[in-house]
Amino acid sequence: MEALIFNIQKFSLNDGPGIRTVVFLKGCPLRCAWCSNPESQSCGKQILWDFSKCARCGSCVRMCSNQAISFADQSLRFDRLKCTGCETCVSACPTGALESDSRLMTVQEVLEICRQDTPFYEESGGGITLSGGEALCQPEFSDLLLSAAKRENIGTAIETSCYAPYKTFDKVTKHADYLLTDMKHWDSGQHKEKTGVSNEVILSNIGRAVKSGKNVLLRIPVIPGFNNSLSDADAFCSVIKELGLARVQLLPFHQFGEKKYSMLGLAYDYEKADALHETDLLAFQQRFFENDVEAFF
């Protein structure tokens, strides 16, 4: 069993309890306009172009047998329908301006990397966390990896949008000790406008996880002009209580993934938006406290 993995991050302290190894899987059914990992959205391999390293020599164009690459106005253009991810262009680039965004890995290959930090997991109460993208887009692999980790007494967690069929959601998350999930917006219409999907399935799966006794950490990515008003805070609290939760983590908007959009030839809706900081959200946080919901950063 193989899956496309675009990153494995060791010694993470923000993706579940303790010290964790985070495995980032390709593919996501959502298209969040502020996504900090836009390379994760496609289920297929993509080539990233770093314009600052490019010599505009044309080696990649000449070597591409699928004619998927061209230059226009000094910018490299990829025809994603023609590109097969063969990486011939990556090998041909003399300056390292091209790189693949992911690679195929087996369950055992990923598990071997995770095993390297078992002493840290044991000491800190950590383990592995599946993230993405969306780990539920590659459910068979995620199921096998999490169950293998459990057999070796490695703690498990999954960061998920919860946007998946019930059977898929239940099958994979049953192996996770912790579930970390975002609530992008309390209103389904607003949610669909900025993510491409409504939130009914998401909220239903979160509710199912809570009722089953799963340890759920709910998070809100606070996005300027989208979900950061005080009335939004009140509405979030109402939904949170309906789900049977009373605690939420606030994630201030940041620009960490901005460069990746240009490397993929994509437009970034939040290019001119200012990052938010904890001090910008004190009144927003206070409204949660007033609604008897613990909100922390």
Side-chain angles (χ1 to χ4, degrees):
M1 176 62 66
E2 293 180 319
L4 274 175
I5 308 297
F6 72 91
N7 191 21
I8 296 180
Q9 179 181 321
K10 305 181 79 173
F11 298 103
S12 173
L13 300 174
N14 300 308
D15 300 278
I19 296 172
R20 311 196 71 84
T21 299
V22 186
V23 181
F24 293 86
L25 290 89
K26 282 273 282 180
C28 185
L30 276 64
R31 293 294 181 268
C32 302
W34 58 87
C35 180
S36 59
N37 290 318
E39 77 277 25
S40 73
Q41 295 177 358
S42 170
C43 292
K45 184 182 292 186
Q46 295 173 292
I47 305 300
L48 300 172
W49 173 58
D50 188 339
F51 57 88
S52 65
K53 296 180 180 179
C54 183
R56 276 71 172 176
C57 65
S59 296
C60 55
V61 177
R62 292 190 295 272
M63 292 299 294
C64 181
S65 59
N66 297 306
Q67 297 181 320
I69 313 175
S70 61
F71 269 104
D73 299 324
Q74 293 298 302
S75 293
L76 199 64
R77 306 296 186 192
F78 281 91
D79 186 330
R80 301 294 177 182
L81 296 178
K82 292 182 179 179
C83 179
T84 62
C86 68
E87 301 186 32
T88 300
C89 58
V90 176
S91 300
C93 181
T95 62
L98 298 177
E99 63 176 301
S100 174
D101 71 347
S102 58
R103 65 186 179 109
L104 280 171
M105 299 183 70
T106 66
V107 170
Q108 286 304 315
E109 286 174 332
V110 174
L111 193 59
E112 182 59 33
I113 294 174
C114 296
R115 285 193 191 108
Q116 296 169 0
D117 294 326
T118 298
F120 297 105
Y121 307 152
E122 294 174 347
E123 184 71 22
S124 67
I128 72 171
T129 299
L130 300 194
S131 188
E134 173 54 72
L136 299 182
C137 279
Q138 301 190 65
E140 292 82 7
F141 183 92
S142 298
D143 178 45
L144 288 173
L145 179 56
L146 289 177
S147 59
K150 292 289 286 184
R151 288 194 298 271
E152 298 191 17
N153 295 317
I154 296 175
T156 56
I158 182 169
E159 286 186 297
T160 173
S161 67
C162 292
Y163 189 81
Y166 299 148
K167 289 184 178 180
T168 299
F169 180 81
D170 291 344
K171 178 181 180 181
V172 178
T173 59
K174 72 180 179 182
H175 300 301
D177 301 319
Y178 298 91
L179 189 153
L180 300 88
T181 187
D182 292 354
M183 185 187 294
K184 324 287 187 183
H185 206 285
W186 55 270
D187 177 77
S188 185
Q190 293 289 326
H191 191 282
K192 186 172 184 178
E193 181 178 336
K194 290 294 186 180
T195 70
V197 302
S198 58
N199 67 4
E200 286 89 350
V201 170
I202 292 170
L203 295 180
S204 178
N205 277 331
I206 295 173
R208 288 161 60 84
V210 173
K211 289 180 181 178
S212 71
K214 187 68 67 179
N215 194 330
V216 177
L217 173 59
L218 190 65
R219 305 177 302 188
I220 297 175
V222 187
I223 312 301
F226 174 60
N227 64 2
N228 64 326
S229 71
L230 296 183
S231 60
D232 286 324
D234 290 332
F236 272 125
C237 290
S238 178
V239 176
I240 289 169
K241 290 180 178 179
E242 289 177 6
L243 291 171
L245 295 169
R247 186 170 182 264
V248 66
Q249 182 178 13
L250 305 179
L251 306 176
F253 168 74
H254 59 72
Q255 297 277 24
F256 296 156
E258 182 176 5
K259 184 178 179 180
K260 297 179 183 178
Y261 285 85
S262 62
M263 294 178 75
L264 288 166
L266 299 175
Y268 180 43
D269 291 352
Y270 286 85
E271 182 178 359
K272 297 181 180 180
D274 293 329
L276 295 176
H277 303 90
E278 294 180 12
T279 52
D280 299 320
L281 298 175
L282 295 180
F284 188 79
Q285 179 189 34
Q286 180 61 32
R287 190 59 66 94
F288 283 83
F289 293 148
E290 292 170 0
N291 282 279
D292 298 320
V293 175
E294 179 188 353
F296 67 99
F297 295 106

